[in-house]
Amino acid sequence: MKLAKLNCLLSGLISSSIRVPSSSCLGSTIAGTRSCQTKAAPSVDKNSLSKLRKQTGYAFSNCRKALLMHDNDFDKALEWLKAEAAKEGWAKAGKLQNRPMSQGVVGVMTTPNSALMLEVNCETDFVARNTKFLELVSSISHICFTSLQTSQSSKVPLSTPELSSVTSVTNETIADIVAKEVGSIGENLRATRAIYMSVDSPHSRLANYIHTAGLNQNCLEIEGCKFGKYAGLVLLNGDVNQEDSHIHCLQIAQHVVGMNPKTIGAVEEETSETLESSSLPPEDTDTHSADTKQSDGESRLLFQEFLIDPDLTTKQWLEERNLSVADFVRFAVGEEASS
């Protein structure tokens, strides 16, 4: 009897502790589960993602995040990405600003009557040969060239601060553009200097020469911007429209790059040296004549041995072709950093 009572008591306790959910509760539980399982995750428009990635070059994860944040609005996503890249680039640029930059390239762009020469520096030769860096140089050159073509001056030099403040058609400064690439490339970068020259006379010609040794030989030009380690611009007057004159002008520019003159050399200097030589003994006259070749240390263009024909001075070579040098500019990568 006692055993039977104990079994009844245990049976009652078990039945009271186990609660089977009602069909309505069970149904709602299952429905809730189903609703969670079928709730769609936020999606990204694949075409916009591909286009954003291609246009910006940023990681897919960043492009996806930008589109999700702005409900697949491409323009807003692009604007957000640029702002984030600028913030990241400026932050990184601040950390790297004291690291030296002795490498880089000179970019040159020309039209028949104008030319731009621009230097952009980086830390290593590896980056200087990188296509992404060269694309940056090309982009900056185009912005600067477009901006300066409206100038009323025939010669416009730009220092680092002046170059950095030039703006693109989208109102981005060159400083902002460079900062973004600092964040992307990971080296200290700087748009260092530029020079713009133009001519408006039929008796004048602009010549340029670019020395490309040490660069990526598979990428020496991007969208009309040519690259080199050394480059020179020369403004010539005279018979610039004669046959082969373009070759003669190119050879003068090549001389400027190769011989690195500091000044043109004035007629007054020639007259002074001629008078000086006339007062010397006959055996010393040849070594002091302004028309003869000068020593290796000669820094005046007209009195240097001409690079293409060392038997003549540059002055003699020019006179034979009825040409004269009115101005020249030479850039060498890193010379600003070492000066």
Side-chain angles (χ1 to χ4, degrees):
M1 181 64 73
K2 290 181 179 180
L3 183 59
K5 288 182 178 180
L6 181 59
N7 286 336
C8 289
L9 180 60
L10 289 172
S11 176
L13 289 172
I14 292 172
S15 62
S16 64
S17 63
I18 298 175
R19 300 291 183 186
V20 178
S22 65
S23 60
S24 61
C25 290
L26 186 59
S28 63
T29 302
I30 294 173
T33 303
R34 283 175 181 167
S35 65
C36 292
Q37 290 175 341
T38 59
K39 187 177 181 180
S43 62
V44 171
D45 182 76
K46 291 183 179 179
N47 290 333
S48 295
L49 179 60
S50 177
K51 182 180 177 182
L52 196 60
R53 161 69 177 171
K54 185 176 181 180
Q55 185 167 328
T56 64
Y58 301 142
F60 271 111
S61 58
N62 291 336
C63 294
R64 185 177 185 279
K65 179 180 178 181
L67 287 168
L68 286 175
M69 288 177 62
H70 298 91
D71 297 324
N72 286 311
D73 187 313
F74 181 87
D75 292 332
K76 289 182 178 179
L78 178 61
E79 186 178 347
W80 181 83
L81 276 173
K82 287 182 176 180
E84 290 299 301
K87 285 193 291 186
E88 180 183 342
W90 277 114
K92 197 158 193 175
K95 295 177 182 178
L96 303 179
Q97 64 181 345
N98 293 323
R99 282 162 52 165
M101 295 167 287
S102 59
Q103 300 298 321
V105 298
V106 175
V108 177
M109 293 188 66
T110 62
T111 69
N113 297 314
S114 61
L116 172 83
M117 192 161 60
L118 176 147
E119 180 182 358
V120 181
N121 294 115
C122 58
E123 296 178 40
T124 64
D125 184 58
F126 174 79
V127 166
R129 296 164 61 88
N130 184 280
T131 302
K132 190 172 183 64
F133 175 75
L134 296 176
E135 288 173 348
L136 170 65
V137 177
S138 175
S139 176
I140 293 173
S141 297
H142 276 277
I143 293 169
C144 199
F145 203 25
T146 301
S147 174
L148 291 173
Q149 280 183 312
T150 60
S151 173
Q152 299 299 311
S153 176
S154 60
K155 183 178 182 181
V156 184
L158 295 178
S159 63
T160 300
E162 292 167 334
L163 181 55
S164 297
S165 64
V166 174
T167 57
S168 68
V169 292
T170 59
N171 289 323
E172 272 190 301
T173 66
I174 286 180
D176 288 333
I177 294 169
V178 171
K180 282 193 293 187
E181 293 306 317
V182 170
S184 174
I185 294 174
E187 277 197 11
N188 198 10
L189 308 174
R190 179 182 63 220
T192 303
R193 55 178 171 160
I195 183 79
Y196 172 81
M197 297 176 70
S198 63
V199 296
D200 57 7
S201 168
H203 303 295
S204 300
R205 181 191 287 265
L206 271 173
N208 73 89
Y209 178 78
I210 307 162
H211 189 64
T212 62
L215 288 183
N216 181 355
Q217 297 300 305
N218 295 319
C219 189
L220 296 177
E221 180 178 350
I222 295 177
E223 296 183 351
C225 181
K226 298 178 181 179
F227 310 114
K229 288 290 187 181
Y230 304 86
L233 297 179
V234 183
L235 174 60
L236 295 111
N237 295 329
D239 288 343
V240 295
N241 298 308
Q242 63 184 329
E243 187 178 1
D244 295 334
S245 64
H246 64 288
I247 297 176
H248 298 151
C249 294
L250 174 65
Q251 290 172 333
I252 287 293
Q254 186 177 0
H255 175 95
V256 166
V257 170
M259 299 297 285
N260 191 20
K262 303 304 180 185
T263 63
I264 295 175
V267 175
E268 292 77 10
E269 295 171 346
E270 176 186 3
T271 303
S272 174
E273 291 187 11
T274 302
L275 291 172
E276 178 185 346
S277 65
S278 65
S279 64
L280 294 172
E283 63 271 16
D284 293 335
T285 301
D286 288 343
T287 60
H288 287 78
S289 173
D291 270 343
T292 59
K293 297 178 291 182
Q294 301 298 301
S295 65
D296 290 341
E298 178 59 67
S299 63
R300 296 168 300 173
L301 171 67
L302 293 180
F303 307 128
Q304 290 178 324
E305 293 181 3
F306 187 56
L307 184 66
I308 308 300
D309 186 355
D311 290 333
L312 299 174
T313 64
T314 307
K315 176 178 177 293
Q316 291 170 331
W317 189 89
L318 287 166
E319 287 175 343
E320 288 181 2
R321 290 154 183 83
N322 197 25
L323 296 170
S324 64
V325 174
D327 199 1
F328 73 87
V329 182
R330 178 185 185 272
F331 278 7
V333 169
E335 66 184 353
E336 289 284 289
S338 61
S339 60

